[in-house]
Amino acid sequence: MRLAVKNLIRIGAVCGTMAAIYSFPSMAAIGPGFTEGSYVATITADSVNINKSGDSEEVLLTVKAGSEYEVLDDLGNGWVKVRVNDTEGYLPVSGNAMVAQVGADEMAEVQQDAVESSNSYKRQQVVNYALQFVGGRYRYGGSDPNTGVDCSGFTRYVLQNSAGISMGRSSTAQSRQGVPVSADQMQPGDLIFYGAGSSINHVAMYIGNGQIVHASTERTGITISNWNYRNPVKIVNVLG
């Protein structure tokens, strides 16, 4: 829990045999620009589901104890609307979280953590999308992993359909997009290019843990390999 916390509110806290249940002060929808006097929900349960909407039990995300979320609104009846990645979710607070009013510095930390979490989440979604095609057919000139695809066709298809990012058709063209990064900076979703010298003839997507997914050869198809199975000549971040 953060040190500079005031007006701590526990919903569903138990003292002895009496359950003390409190609600928020009245809060209109709190926008992301409001910092001083805003609220943060800290998860206290081992795990809890944050729902996609207030009138549905469809799960947006399952979160663990210690996770923190900016509170956007008090919905009453033990529910709050919180910022989750680049969207909003609905958190049942009772028995699951503590809500505290924090100052501008603390809220800035929470919001920065949320930006980083959102980027990691987006990257993992891209990787998960790519991995569903493992075992698919390699086809030179192909552009759809459902029917056969080559290396650049694969990365182009994945980034367009999972992240809305338009890529060039060839591996050389794709290597000119995004921001070059070093091997110790690369993250899941980054593109790794291979070739001889400065000549690029293959592209793969980094998926983490020292591995890539790529449309490799006609024999292996779309497969997972070690990221340095060949000598990488360039690594590019196109996801921001």
Side-chain angles (χ1 to χ4, degrees), residues 16 40 66-67 72 74 129 144 170 213 220 236-237:
V40 169
S67 302
L72 301 178
D74 171 24
Y129 186 82
D144 186 340
S170 69
V213 61
T220 59
V236 168
N237 171 6

Side-chain angles (χ1 to χ4, degrees), residues 125-145:
Q125 292 297 99
V126 170
V127 167
N128 291 346
Y129 186 82
L131 290 176
Q132 71 178 305
F133 299 111
V134 169
R137 175 189 171 201
Y138 177 94
R139 181 168 66 87
Y140 181 75
S143 58
D144 186 340

Side-chain angles (χ1 to χ4, degrees), residues 47-68:
S47 67
V48 61
N49 292 334
I50 297 179
N51 292 349
K52 287 187 176 181
S53 65
D55 56 0
S56 168
E57 294 184 0
E58 186 176 3
V59 176
L60 172 66
L61 190 68
T62 300
V63 296
K64 305 298 183 182
S67 302
E68 294 179 315

Side-chain angles (χ1 to χ4, degrees), residues 66-161:
S67 302
E68 294 179 315
Y69 296 92
E70 178 185 359
V71 176
L72 301 178
D73 197 6
D74 171 24
L75 304 174
N77 298 318
W79 286 81
V80 294
K81 182 191 294 184
V82 294
R83 187 176 308 285
V84 181
N85 298 318
D86 56 355
T87 186
E88 298 172 349
Y90 295 77
L91 170 67
V93 181
S94 299
N96 296 315
M98 290 190 298
V99 178
Q101 189 176 28
V102 300
D105 290 344
E106 290 77 22
M107 180 57 71
E109 289 182 28
V110 172
Q111 291 172 339
Q112 179 59 38
D113 289 345
V115 170
E116 294 173 2
S117 175
S118 177
N119 186 49
S120 296
Y121 178 79
K122 177 176 70 173
R123 286 177 173 275
Q124 191 58 52
Q125 292 297 99
V126 170
V127 167
N128 291 346
Y129 186 82
L131 290 176
Q132 71 178 305
F133 299 111
V134 169
R137 175 189 171 201
Y138 177 94
R139 181 168 66 87
Y140 181 75
S143 58
D144 186 340
N146 294 293
T147 57
V149 67
D150 61 16
C151 67
S152 56
F154 177 65
T155 50
R156 184 173 189 257
Y157 184 96
V158 168
L159 287 166
Q160 177 63 57
N161 288 279

Side-chain angles (χ1 to χ4, degrees), residues 3 17 58 68 76 85 150 157 167 169 176 183 202 224:
L3 296 177
T17 59
E58 186 176 3
E68 294 179 315
N85 298 318
D150 61 16
Y157 184 96
M167 300 296 297
R169 181 58 185 87
R176 299 188 182 113
H202 189 65
I224 294 174

